[in-house]
Amino acid sequence: NSTLLFAAYSVAVSANDSEYFAEICKDLATSMASEQGKVACEAQDEVLQVCDQLYMNEKITENQLLYLRHLVLIREEAVAGIYDDFQEHQSVPLLAKALYELAITHPYQHSSGAWKTDYSKAGVKDNDSKIDDEEEDSDSSEEEEDVYEKEKLARKTQLQMKNPPP
């Protein structure tokens, strides 16, 4: 599944996170050991191909593509729901539209490469929710590192929850 590996590699490089790549590769290897896992990987591959088409047709930005790739790789529930709907209607344009709508909710990425999360839904105030080039907070790099570390831990926990040890 070169599409899955490339997606994992591109997300890991953009986030400068080799552990992420290792975790996704381990998850893929584990998945490929069972028939159900192979089917899940094929589904992820299908979704990633549509994501790539959205990018190639300039419907989404590179950051949005990376965001979608990440969501597909971690088997985010929103992506699973979109794929389940696709299984019912078998319409690639509807799949693409749903992925596009998910992509435009992307919280965008800081220049450092760390994923920025929209914490407003969880009731946590995110001081960087508005992009303002004129006002740069001197503590922003420390905040970015904190967000990056929290998200790294969340990804690891999410992978462990989805693939508990035997």
Side-chain angles (χ1 to χ4, degrees), residues 31-43:
S31 295
M32 295 305 286
S34 72
E35 196 57 41
Q36 184 179 5
K38 289 177 185 176
V39 170
C41 288
E42 288 171 10

Side-chain angles (χ1 to χ4, degrees), residues 11-102:
V11 173
V13 167
S14 75
N16 195 25
D17 187 353
S18 59
E19 285 182 35
Y20 176 88
F21 184 65
E23 290 169 10
I24 296 296
C25 287
K26 181 181 175 188
D27 177 56
L28 290 173
T30 303
S31 295
M32 295 305 286
S34 72
E35 196 57 41
Q36 184 179 5
K38 289 177 185 176
V39 170
C41 288
E42 288 171 10
Q44 287 175 288
D45 187 79
E46 279 185 87
V47 174
L48 287 170
Q49 288 180 35
V50 174
C51 294
D52 289 345
Q53 285 297 317
L54 285 170
Y55 176 71
M56 288 188 294
N57 291 320
E58 299 180 358
K59 302 296 183 191
I60 60 174
T61 65
E62 182 178 3
N63 284 341
Q64 290 168 328
L65 173 64
L66 291 167
Y67 176 66
L68 286 177
R69 284 177 175 172
H70 168 69
L71 295 180
V72 170
L73 291 167
I74 65 168
R75 299 179 181 146
E76 174 66 32
E77 286 183 40
V79 176
I82 289 170
Y83 187 76
D84 288 344
D85 291 345
F86 170 68
Q87 288 296 90
E88 289 180 24
H89 56 64
Q90 292 293 307
S91 169
V92 175
L94 288 178
L95 173 61
K97 181 179 181 195
L99 290 169
Y100 169 78
E101 290 171 355
L102 181 59

